[in-house]
Amino acid sequence: GKTLQVIWAACELYRRGIINRVIVLCPATVRSVWFDPELGELKKHLPEDLSAAITEFHAKTRRWHHGPASKLPFEWVISNYDFIRSKSRISGLKVLCTHQTLLVLDESSAVKNHRSLQTRACLTLRKRCGRVVLLNGTPIENNPGDMYSQGHIMSKDILECTNWYYFRARYAV
């Protein structure tokens, strides 16, 4: 139900003029769950009356349209964590990020290591996007430190910790 809730919430934000684009980052194995034009979650749950353009941002860019034709469809961009690790690829997504972009990090435990390239890439995008949603059924796998990067990506102020070491001393003793 997490994916469905995000799709519905994003559609409501779009209809209210708050967002105009959603960027979804997920593990490579989950990318088709979002993108697939026949069986994917977007195909199943986007309202029929909503015009949307769905793009898979990957080595081979694919795109499909949903709903009635429109000059300015609701944009969805789907990619995976491994793919955005390089600077050239992250640059391709950064240009799409504005205050009207919703960033969705599916299976957000993939960004639990604050030093990893994919976590840094997600943080770069987050700084440019107006909103963020993290989806995960198991945000903590090993220790409380797994929450630091996820909290920092949501908002640098959410954990009230200026850095990893302060977080560790406060929460991971």
Side-chain angles (χ1 to χ4, degrees), residues 119-130:
T119 299
R120 291 178 185 185
C122 290
L123 191 54
T124 297
L125 295 176
R126 170 59 181 121
K127 289 176 182 176
R128 294 173 172 258
C129 294

Side-chain angles (χ1 to χ4, degrees), residues 42-56:
L42 289 170
K43 176 65 176 174
K44 284 192 245 178
H45 302 300
L46 283 173
E48 289 300 320
D49 66 331
L50 183 71
S51 175
I54 298 90
T55 303
E56 182 181 44

Side-chain angles (χ1 to χ4, degrees), residues 55-69:
T55 303
E56 182 181 44
F57 183 78
H58 206 258
K60 190 180 228 182
T61 300
R62 299 184 299 162
R63 188 177 177 122
W64 60 276
H65 294 275
H66 172 84

Side-chain angles (χ1 to χ4, degrees), residues 148 152 156-168 170-171:
Y148 173 73
H152 189 66
K156 65 180 182 142
D157 300 325
I158 199 167
L159 299 172
E160 298 178 350
C161 295
T162 55
N163 59 50
W164 159 249
Y165 300 103
Y166 183 70
F167 174 86
R168 186 178 68 181
R170 186 172 180 184
Y171 297 110

